[in-house]
Amino acid sequence: MSDTFDVIVIGAGPAGYVAAIRAAQLGLKTAVVDAFVGKDGKQALGGTCLNIGCIPSKALLDSSKQFHNLTHNFASHGITAENPKIDIPTFVGRKDKIVKQFTGGVSLLFKANKVTSFFGKGKLLKGNQVEITGNDGTKQTIAATNVILASGSVPIELPFAKFDGKHIVDNAGALDFTDVPKRLGVIGAGVIGLELGSVWKRLGSDVTIIEALPEFLAVADADVAKAAAREFAKQGLTIKLNAKLSKAEVKGDEVHLTYNDKDGDHNLVVDKLLVAVGRRAYTDGLLAADTGVKIDERGRIVVDEHCHTGVDGVWAIGDAVRGPMLAHKGSEEGVAVAELIAGKPGHVNLDLVPWVIYTEPEISWVGKTEKQLKDEGVPYKTGSFPFAANGRAVAMNEGVGLVKIIAHAETDRILGVHMVGPVVSELIHEAVVAMEFKGSSEDLARIVHAHPALSEVVHEAALAVDKRAIHKSN
C-alpha cells in the first residue's frame, strides 16, 4: 500500500472536486481519483459537468443565441448585417477553450489546496482501501480513514438506438457536430434535449423532439410548462408528446426512425439523432463485492440524510445517490460531507434545490408545484405576473413568460416559485433565499426592488398572491 490519506474522493466532478477542496481546507490530507480523459488524451478534472455537460452546453447556447439574435432579432434594434454566417469549427472551438480553462482551473485549485490527484479508475475495497487502475492497466492501492464516492452518472442508452458517436449520439456527441445537421431528431424533451435541440435549431437545423410522456415538462409547474411550450412552438421546435421511439436504423448518412403515438406508427428520417432520455448513476466497477455498500433498485448508492452509506467511513454524494441529478446539489453535498468528516455540522436542504433549463426563454423553479400541493391536500394561494408588463424585459425585447409564486393559504409561507422568461436562472435565487429562511409572499412584496429591473416581476408576483399587483388588473 503506497499512501494513506484522511479522505479519498472517487470522482472529480462538481460533487467530488468540491468535496476534496473543502476537505483540504479543513486540514484533511486528501486525494482524488478520476479517470476522465479530455480531447488531448490527458486527465481532465471536472467530470461530466465541466467537460461534456453544464459548461460546454452553456457556451454553445450563448454562441447560438448571438447568431440567432443577429439573424432574427437585431433588426428591430436597427442593427443589420449582410449574409451572416457561422463557422462551426470556431463555434465548437470556443466551447473547447472554455472547457479547458475550467478543467485546468480545477487542477490549479487542487495544487493550491494540496489535494493529490490520481489518474485512473477508482474501486472501493473492503477496509476503506481504493484500488486505482490506470489507463495502461497498472494498479496501485491507497487507503483512507474516509472515502467519498462521487462517481456521477452516464446517459441512458436505448437498446434499439445505441450510440455510435456519429449518427446516434449522447449529449457529448451533440456538442461536437462538425456541421449543422439539416434534420436533427431528439429523443426526450427534458433539460438536455431542450437545450441542445435549441442550440442547433438556432443555427438552422430542423429539430423534432419525441417525448414519451403525455405532458410537456411534467416536472415543472403546469402554467410555466404551458408558457414555455408556446414559445418553443413559435421558435419552430417540433415537440411530439406521448410518442415513443420503437426503432432507429442508420442507413447511409441518415437515421430512419419509427415512433408511435395515439394515431399509430410514424416514420421520420433525420441526419443526426440525439438520445436524451435521462441519466443513470454510474457505479459500474466502483465497489468490490465485500464492501458492504448497498445499491438500490435504480442503481444508486444507498445513503442516509447525511450521505453516509452505513459503512464506517464511507460516504456517497452527487448523481450516484438519491435526489436530483444537478451539479449544484452534488457540490453542496460535497461541502456538507467534508464538514461532517471534520466534525463540523453539515446539511443540504434537498427540498430547496433550484432547477434551471437554459433555453430561450429560460425556465427555473424551486419548491412545490401547484399540482403537488393539490395532490397533498395543502391549502394554497397563487400570484403571477408576466414579463410582458415589465419595462426592462420589453426594452430587452424579451417580454415573454411569467413568474408564479405559490404560498400557503393560511400562513402565507412561500411553498414554490416557478419562472419562465429572461434570465430567470438568476432571478430564482431570490426565491431560494426567501424560502430557506421560511419567508412569506408578504416578505417579498414588502422588499424594495430596483426599477427598471427584471426582478420587479418577482415583486409583482408576490403582490399578486394577495391580489394587489400594481401593474396588472387582479
Side-chain angles (χ1 to χ4, degrees), residues 179-326:
D179 52 25
V180 178
K182 184 177 180 182
R183 301 160 298 181
L184 173 64
V186 179
I187 310 303
V191 176
I192 294 171
L194 289 171
E195 289 186 355
L196 292 178
S198 293
V199 166
W200 297 105
K201 174 62 184 175
R202 292 171 186 168
L203 302 186
S205 186
D206 182 6
V207 178
T208 300
I209 302 177
I210 297 173
E211 169 57 53
L213 294 176
E215 298 176 355
F216 177 68
L217 273 184
V219 294
D221 188 83
D223 288 338
V224 162
K226 183 179 179 180
R230 184 168 57 247
E231 294 304 319
F232 294 148
K234 289 179 181 178
Q235 295 169 16
L237 275 177
T238 300
I239 303 175
K240 297 184 179 295
L241 300 175
N242 204 18
K244 297 181 180 179
L245 181 72
S246 58
K247 186 177 181 181
E249 186 177 3
V250 178
K251 296 181 180 180
D253 282 332
E254 297 178 332
V255 186
H256 291 246
L257 309 179
T258 301
Y259 67 92
N260 59 77
D261 58 18
K262 61 181 179 61
D263 297 320
D265 288 340
H266 306 273
N267 297 315
L268 177 68
V269 179
V270 297
D271 301 293
K272 302 284 186 182
L273 178 66
L274 164 61
V275 179
V277 294
R279 299 179 66 84
R280 64 173 179 85
Y282 179 58
T283 55
D284 301 354
L286 177 66
L287 305 169
D290 58 354
T291 62
V293 177
K294 296 179 181 178
I295 301 293
D296 69 13
E297 68 282 355
R298 293 176 58 183
R300 302 173 301 184
I301 301 168
V302 177
V303 293
D304 63 16
E305 67 271 23
H306 300 298
C307 292
H308 195 264
T309 65
V311 176
D312 189 35
V314 181
W315 314 73
I317 57 177
D319 284 5
V321 303
R322 81 287 178 267
M325 289 185 172
L326 298 171

Side-chain angles (χ1 to χ4, degrees), residues 2 32 85 87 89 133 139 143 146-147 173 193-194 249 263-264 278 301 311 353 450 452 461:
S2 58
V32 172
K85 58 184 179 180
D87 180 75
T133 303
K139 296 179 184 293
N146 291 274
V147 177
L194 289 171
E249 186 177 3
D263 297 320
I301 301 168
V311 176
V353 176

Side-chain angles (χ1 to χ4, degrees), residues 276-474:
V277 294
R279 299 179 66 84
R280 64 173 179 85
Y282 179 58
T283 55
D284 301 354
L286 177 66
L287 305 169
D290 58 354
T291 62
V293 177
K294 296 179 181 178
I295 301 293
D296 69 13
E297 68 282 355
R298 293 176 58 183
R300 302 173 301 184
I301 301 168
V302 177
V303 293
D304 63 16
E305 67 271 23
H306 300 298
C307 292
H308 195 264
T309 65
V311 176
D312 189 35
V314 181
W315 314 73
I317 57 177
D319 284 5
V321 303
R322 81 287 178 267
M325 289 185 172
L326 298 171
H328 44 286
K329 171 260 193 185
S331 293
E332 291 306 315
E333 286 178 332
V335 169
V337 166
E339 293 179 345
L340 287 167
I341 289 172
K344 298 179 178 294
H347 173 69
V348 178
N349 186 351
L350 293 178
D351 292 329
L352 293 183
V353 176
W355 288 72
V356 180
I357 304 177
Y358 295 86
T359 47
E360 188 72 22
E362 293 182 344
I363 305 164
S364 66
W365 67 90
V366 63
K368 301 279 190 177
T369 65
E370 189 171 346
K371 182 180 184 302
Q372 287 173 324
L373 293 170
K374 191 175 294 183
D375 291 345
E376 294 170 9
V378 177
Y380 65 87
K381 52 187 178 178
T382 69
S384 62
F385 193 82
F387 281 96
N390 175 264
R392 181 74 189 281
V394 174
M396 294 166 58
N397 205 27
E398 297 188 47
V400 299
L402 60 100
V403 171
K404 176 179 178 179
I405 295 177
I406 309 174
H408 196 284
E410 298 165 0
T411 67
D412 194 40
R413 181 175 172 179
I414 302 170
L415 303 176
V417 179
H418 308 270
M419 306 180 178
V420 55
V423 203
V424 298
S425 57
E426 304 295 338
L427 296 180
I428 193 64
H429 296 96
E430 178 177 7
V432 176
V433 171
M435 294 172 69
E436 188 66 56
F437 287 93
K438 299 178 172 54
S440 65
S441 71
E442 178 75 8
D443 291 327
L444 282 184
R446 289 191 176 276
I447 294 172
V448 178
H449 289 68
H451 174 77
L454 296 174
S455 61
E456 289 181 285
V457 179
V458 179
H459 185 217
E460 291 271 15
L463 288 166
V465 171
D466 287 322
K467 297 184 172 26
R468 52 196 180 102
I470 301 299
H471 292 94
K472 79 165 188 175
S473 58
N474 292 292

